[in-house]
Amino acid sequence: MTLIKGIKNAAEAIREGRLVAFPTETVYGLGANALDAQAVRKIFVAKGRPLNDPLIVHVCPEWLADAGNGAATPHPYFEALFQQGIIGELTETQQARLSLLIYACWPGPLTLVLPRGEQIPMLVTAGGNTVAIRMPQHPIALALIAASGVPIAAPSANRFGHVSPTTAQHVRDDLAERVEIILDGGATSIGVESTVLNALPDVPIILRHGGVTKEQIEQILGQTIIDSKATDLTRAVLPSPGLLERHYAPDAVLQIMPDFAALVQRWGELTTAGQQVGLLLTRSQANAIPNIASAQHYVLGETLEDIARNLYAGLRALDSANMQFILMVALDRNGLGAAIMDRLQRGAVRDDKVTG
Ligand code: AMP
Ligand code: MG
């Protein structure tokens, strides 16, 4: 089947209330018509996702108003989203702030928390009065949303709590027959999830680190913003379930080492004790290990962009090789390093295995 026919088919499935997995620039999503509660329920069942974990709603430019010329504020999307019952009302101040973000980051890996519109079922927002909206920057995702004619609710297309999928094969590995249609767009380019930002308050709060960095957002807004770590996470509806402690987890025990020397030492200890150990390494780290060829390892590349793009594939590859432990050196929390370290730390939290 040609890709165009595949997208047409998939759009029909979305309109019929069925599930479609599709690529975005961040990770693969498991999508359903965001306006159809029955369809959305299937996402939670397929993933084994708890109902208190809200979904991101994906939109495309085609059925919103003209994208504007980059100068107009408020951004014309607000009126279009409001008219379609996808979002609720925003104050002028909120629109001004959010417009800056939309002009700078959409389409792209920035998810904005907005007031819920009356057409969005409560299931999508986990009962909350806000809805998370994103316009992905991927030709297949955008074509699918445009052809469907409806907003698409989509979390990552993996079993709940597991490593997110960055290839169509990862989706098959995790969900198998639970998803009928998978649009294959090859490996995703960014590799970690979108940044989730609540820019409704005067001082916006970053709820999940991701593809757009805190530094970039601060530059766009010309103000400092708050990190969710500083906020109260004890509410019944999670402020952002990407904040769940155990998440993004491989099957192996993941250990984050403070530096390269510590990694090499730990690797020696574990192998001597007869454990199967996989190393997640940068190119230069791999080059610095003399007998690297005989070690189970996965090279992530060198830059933060490389590491983000290859991280989930690396975790999955070492899991497939039945490693009991995966070791990686910690990164600085600057730029994309914040998103990567966030995933690593959640992936490393074990409630079912003893960390050796
Ligand atoms: P996933 O697509 O599986 O990575 O998960 C979607 C993410 O979007 C979750 O981690 C939530 O944190 C976030 N999210 C969705 N809706 C909301 C909302 N209304 N308020 C805050 N965060 C949200
Ligand atoms: Mg997810």
Side-chain angles (χ1 to χ4, degrees), residues 100-101 104-105 212-225:
L100 293 174
L101 294 164
C105 300
V212 175
T213 66
K214 180 165 182 271
E215 292 87 340
Q216 286 170 325
I217 295 169
E218 290 182 331
Q219 171 141 42
I220 293 161
L221 295 179
Q223 67 175 120
T224 51
I225 61 172

Side-chain angles (χ1 to χ4, degrees), residues 1-306:
M1 192 169 16
T2 65
L3 186 56
I4 293 179
K5 188 127 180 277
I7 289 171
K8 236 183 112 205
N9 230 18
E12 210 171 284
I14 292 285
R15 281 194 302 272
E16 288 167 359
R18 292 186 283 140
L19 301 183
V20 172
F22 61 96
T24 77
E25 78 279 28
T26 59
V27 301
Y28 274 70
L30 180 62
N33 178 355
L35 307 179
D36 177 347
Q38 289 309 318
V40 168
R41 184 172 295 279
K42 292 178 187 169
I43 294 177
F44 288 91
V45 173
K47 286 194 55 142
R49 183 178 174 110
L51 292 173
N52 68 348
D53 192 349
L55 305 177
I56 294 172
V57 173
H58 296 74
V59 298
C60 70
E62 277 76 6
W63 38 264
L64 298 178
D66 159 27
N69 59 12
T73 158
H75 198 292
Y77 287 167
F78 298 125
E79 186 57 27
L81 290 166
F82 180 75
Q83 290 299 334
Q84 295 177 42
I86 297 170
I87 67 169
E89 289 197 61
L90 293 161
T91 67
E92 276 181 32
T93 323
Q94 288 173 328
Q95 291 194 32
R97 185 165 47 237
L98 290 159
S99 293
L100 293 174
L101 294 164
I102 291 181
Y103 279 123
C105 300
W106 279 15
L110 178 68
T111 296
L112 294 172
V113 171
L114 298 168
R116 184 179 64 87
E118 80 272 4
Q119 294 301 315
I120 299 292
M122 282 294 188
L123 201 55
V124 170
T125 67
N129 55 12
T130 58
V131 59
I133 310 266
R134 170 168 117 83
M135 183 179 286
Q137 185 171 38
H138 192 289
I140 297 179
L142 290 174
L144 174 67
I145 304 163
S148 304
V150 291
I152 295 184
S156 50
N158 52 282
R159 281 184 285 114
F160 181 71
H162 193 220
V163 179
S164 296
T166 55
T167 68
Q169 188 58 47
H170 293 164
V171 179
R172 269 178 226 116
D173 292 345
D174 259 37
L175 298 177
E177 75 291 342
R178 289 164 181 234
V179 52
E180 282 170 62
I181 302 179
I182 304 175
L183 293 173
D184 192 340
T188 60
S189 59
I190 293 184
V192 290
E193 293 80 354
S194 62
T195 302
V196 181
L197 183 74
N198 183 353
L200 298 175
D202 286 339
V203 183
I205 304 168
I206 217 164
L207 296 172
R208 175 175 75 182
H209 288 278
V212 175
T213 66
K214 180 165 182 271
E215 292 87 340
Q216 286 170 325
I217 295 169
E218 290 182 331
Q219 171 141 42
I220 293 161
L221 295 179
Q223 67 175 120
T224 51
I225 61 172
I226 298 177
D227 205 313
S228 61
K229 296 240 159 36
T231 63
D232 176 20
L233 303 183
T234 56
R235 292 189 291 153
V237 174
L238 292 167
S240 196
L243 301 171
L244 280 176
E245 255 217 285
R246 173 123 149 67
H247 215 96
Y248 313 111
D251 297 329
V253 174
L254 174 63
Q255 294 193 332
I256 312 306
M257 309 311 297
D259 55 38
F260 182 62
L263 174 129
V264 172
Q265 189 189 340
R266 186 88 184 111
W267 177 43
E269 288 164 8
L270 287 167
T271 7
T272 309
Q275 303 282 353
Q276 296 294 316
V277 186
L279 305 178
L280 274 180
L281 302 171
T282 61
R283 167 60 53 207
S284 45
Q285 288 167 350
N287 290 344
I289 297 180
N291 50 342
I292 189 66
S294 61
Q296 278 282 0
H297 71 287
Y298 191 98
V299 176
L300 296 167
E302 201 59 43
T303 64
L304 287 176
E305 283 75 18
D306 294 338

Side-chain angles (χ1 to χ4, degrees), residues 247-250 254-256 343-350 355:
H247 215 96
Y248 313 111
L254 174 63
Q255 294 193 332
I256 312 306
R343 306 305 186 274
L344 287 173
Q345 276 177 342
R346 286 177 221 288
V349 172
R350 306 303 300 196
T355 18

